[in-house]
Amino acid sequence: MEAEIIAVGTELLLGDILNTNAQFLARQLADLGITVLHQHVVGDNAARLEELVRTAKARSDLLVFSGGLGPTADDLTKETVARCYHDTLHFDQEEMDKITSFFAKSGRTTPDNNEKQAMVPTRGKKLPNRNGTAPGVWFEDEGRYAVLLPGPSHELIPLWNEQVLPLLQPLCSGVLHSLTLKVTGPGESHLEETVGHLFRSANPTAAIYAKTCECHIRITAKAATPAEAAAMCRAKAQEFYDILGDCIYGEDDATLESAAVAALQKHHLTLATAESCTGGLVSRRITDVPGASEVFGFGFVTYANEAKEKLLGVPGEVLAAHGAVSPQTAAWMAQGARRASGADISLALTGLAGPGGGTPDKPVGLVYLAAAYQDTIYIRKLGLGGRSREVVRLRSSQNALDLARRLALGLPLPDDTQTVPAARLAEEMR
């Protein structure tokens, strides 16, 4: 079965709203083994919508719409699609009663224009919506299908799961299962060189998706049953694990911060942060993870040199001799954060995020990352030039979280990591 996704709404065309529904629907259709040929965004214009629907219907088995089911005059999806699928609409008193009750629960009267939402197909099906006033709609015409869903995601997603899936599943032959591996460290080109041969299989398929600070490898298998497809994905994933090893930090919905927190929890370790150029980004990412309070208690944002001295104990002579952006300062920050917090591991970041402030010796994008753990200080120099301020900060936080994960799990550290005995910090880093 082949499908097209059509999002309706002028606000989408203008960029006022992000089209997250299309992403959700594309993944859901893929999981059913339905191939998505095209995605469209069309404004609230009946003529342009009808032209698109007729073209798409002629080449695809299924059209899935989001939006355009509201009560206002520019909500024209239902009427337009009904015409293209040779159906008519009629007033449904049961739906009108639900709409009236929906408004009454919040102490409001029902506007007259909401009667429009109570119009349902004559030959097709209405799809009850328990989270809003607009029911979904199912049209069928000579083996061609159309599903109309409301625009708000909190209505669309449950309506899809409860009403649409049971209608589509009998129409599908075979199922798709997908698994996403999250990779940090090697970039897209390096991955292509290292595991490129694993992307050449037809079933399961595998593809790289480059993100701002990491890469995702999406594996998809088609089989007769969900269990068979899942087993095929797992076997393919193992091939990637055999080569990439601990560069894969998690799967599917995992984030690097959740992986770092899980690693700390597993080994009953605590973490503190001392941040300059990242301004608290690392601690924010950590505390975005539910349960982070078990491992994280202290986050120092020491943007000014005075703060580095007062809160972390960085010697003034170190700052004077080497500057805030230096391996010496990063090491002292990490040691100071660990002493002040009592944490097992501390992370420190200091650098030049830009866009200004760089010099030939210390260009924009130069960041020093340090960690204090047990009796050792670990230091890395990150060259992140040629990127925006936001990306420099984000990549710095990514490297910091990965360092915490690796230290907590006892994994190998990057080859460029320098070590200094904590007991000899004053001697070696002044």
Side-chain angles (χ1 to χ4, degrees):
M1 177 176 279
E2 295 176 332
E4 302 190 29
I5 297 170
I6 302 174
V8 182
T10 302
E11 67 278 8
L12 293 169
L13 279 178
L14 296 176
D16 293 335
I17 296 177
L18 185 65
N19 189 13
T20 57
N21 286 339
Q23 181 184 46
F24 169 80
L25 292 170
R27 289 177 174 173
Q28 291 293 311
L29 291 167
D31 288 344
L32 288 167
I34 298 173
T35 301
V36 178
L37 297 182
H38 302 278
Q39 292 189 21
H40 313 271
V41 177
V42 61
D44 298 305
N45 181 285
R48 286 194 290 270
L49 177 60
E50 181 167 349
E51 179 185 11
L52 172 59
V53 173
R54 293 192 183 281
T55 300
K57 181 190 175 190
R59 66 190 174 202
S60 297
D61 308 295
L62 171 68
L63 307 186
V64 182
F65 297 80
S66 67
L69 299 183
T72 60
D74 60 356
D75 291 310
L76 303 166
T77 306
K78 190 163 42 178
E79 297 90 329
T80 304
V81 179
R83 187 162 55 251
C84 294
Y85 280 74
H86 303 105
D87 206 338
T88 58
L89 303 175
H90 69 275
F91 180 76
D92 188 308
Q93 186 61 51
E94 181 183 25
E95 282 302 317
M96 192 66 220
D97 292 342
K98 289 180 183 178
I99 294 169
T100 302
S101 175
F102 185 89
F103 280 95
K105 287 178 182 178
S106 58
R108 297 175 292 168
T109 59
T110 306
D112 291 340
N113 60 5
N114 278 88
E115 291 186 5
K116 181 178 181 181
Q117 292 184 303
M119 301 297 290
V120 301
T122 302
R123 294 193 303 109
K125 297 180 176 68
K126 68 175 181 179
L127 307 176
N129 178 7
R130 60 181 176 80
N131 296 294
T133 56
V137 176
W138 172 276
F139 291 113
E140 181 177 351
D141 184 36
E142 297 182 348
R144 304 283 182 170
Y145 307 93
V147 178
L148 281 60
L149 301 168
S153 295
H154 72 275
E155 298 180 35
L156 180 146
I157 292 174
L159 203 153
W160 174 272
N161 291 330
E162 297 165 8
Q163 303 288 335
V164 180
L165 280 180
L167 293 171
L168 289 179
Q169 285 168 335
L171 303 176
C172 302
S173 58
V175 296
L176 291 184
H177 181 82
S178 293
L179 171 65
T180 300
L181 305 178
K182 304 291 187 70
V183 182
T184 188
E188 182 180 16
S189 59
H190 180 74
L191 283 176
E192 181 65 37
E193 288 183 353
T194 307
V195 293
H197 60 287
L198 298 180
F199 297 113
R200 300 189 187 107
S201 62
N203 187 27
T205 61
I208 302 176
Y209 298 91
K211 304 296 180 178
T212 301
C213 295
E214 60 187 35
C215 290
H216 297 174
I217 298 174
R218 185 172 174 85
I219 303 168
T220 303
K222 185 172 185 178
T225 68
E228 290 176 17
M232 291 169 66
C233 284
R234 178 53 56 194
K236 190 68 176 180
Q238 188 58 52
E239 296 181 34
F240 285 99
Y241 276 105
D242 290 342
I243 298 172
L244 298 176
D246 53 47
C247 289
I248 302 174
Y249 70 78
E251 299 179 1
D252 294 331
D253 294 331
T255 61
L256 188 54
E257 48 266 40
S258 66
V261 169
L264 293 162
Q265 290 172 328
K266 180 178 180 179
H267 293 282
H268 308 289
L269 298 171
T270 55
L271 178 72
T273 59
E275 301 181 65
S276 184
C277 62
T278 48
L281 179 57
V282 177
S283 60
R284 193 210 77 189
R285 290 181 65 179
I286 292 168
T287 54
D288 280 344
V289 180
S293 60
E294 297 176 23
V295 299
F296 183 77
F298 290 79
F300 301 91
V301 178
T302 54
Y303 214 60
N305 284 354
E306 182 183 4
K308 294 177 178 67
E309 292 184 64
K310 185 177 294 186
L311 298 179
L312 302 175
V314 180
E317 57 267 35
V318 169
L319 289 164
H322 304 287
V325 181
S326 64
Q328 293 85 355
T329 296
W332 280 97
M333 288 173 64
Q335 182 78 322
R338 188 177 178 212
R339 285 175 175 169
S341 66
D344 297 301
I345 301 173
S346 64
L347 299 171
L349 285 155
T350 181
L352 292 163
T359 67
D361 292 336
K362 295 183 179 181
V364 169
L366 174 64
V367 176
Y368 288 99
L369 163 63
Y373 180 43
Q374 295 177 341
D375 53 4
T376 303
I377 309 293
Y378 302 88
I379 306 166
R380 292 192 65 207
K381 178 182 178 180
L382 309 176
L384 305 175
R387 298 175 174 89
S388 68
R389 179 180 179 85
E390 179 185 7
V391 173
V392 169
R393 286 157 52 92
L394 189 57
R395 283 185 176 270
S396 298
S397 71
Q398 191 84 352
N399 279 278
L401 291 167
D402 191 46
L403 182 57
R405 175 183 74 103
R406 290 179 175 278
L407 288 172
L409 295 175
L411 298 174
L413 302 182
D415 293 339
D416 61 358
T417 305
Q418 300 178 4
T419 59
V420 175
R424 289 159 49 192
L425 179 64
E427 174 186 343
E428 298 197 14
M429 299 302 291
R430 283 184 184 272

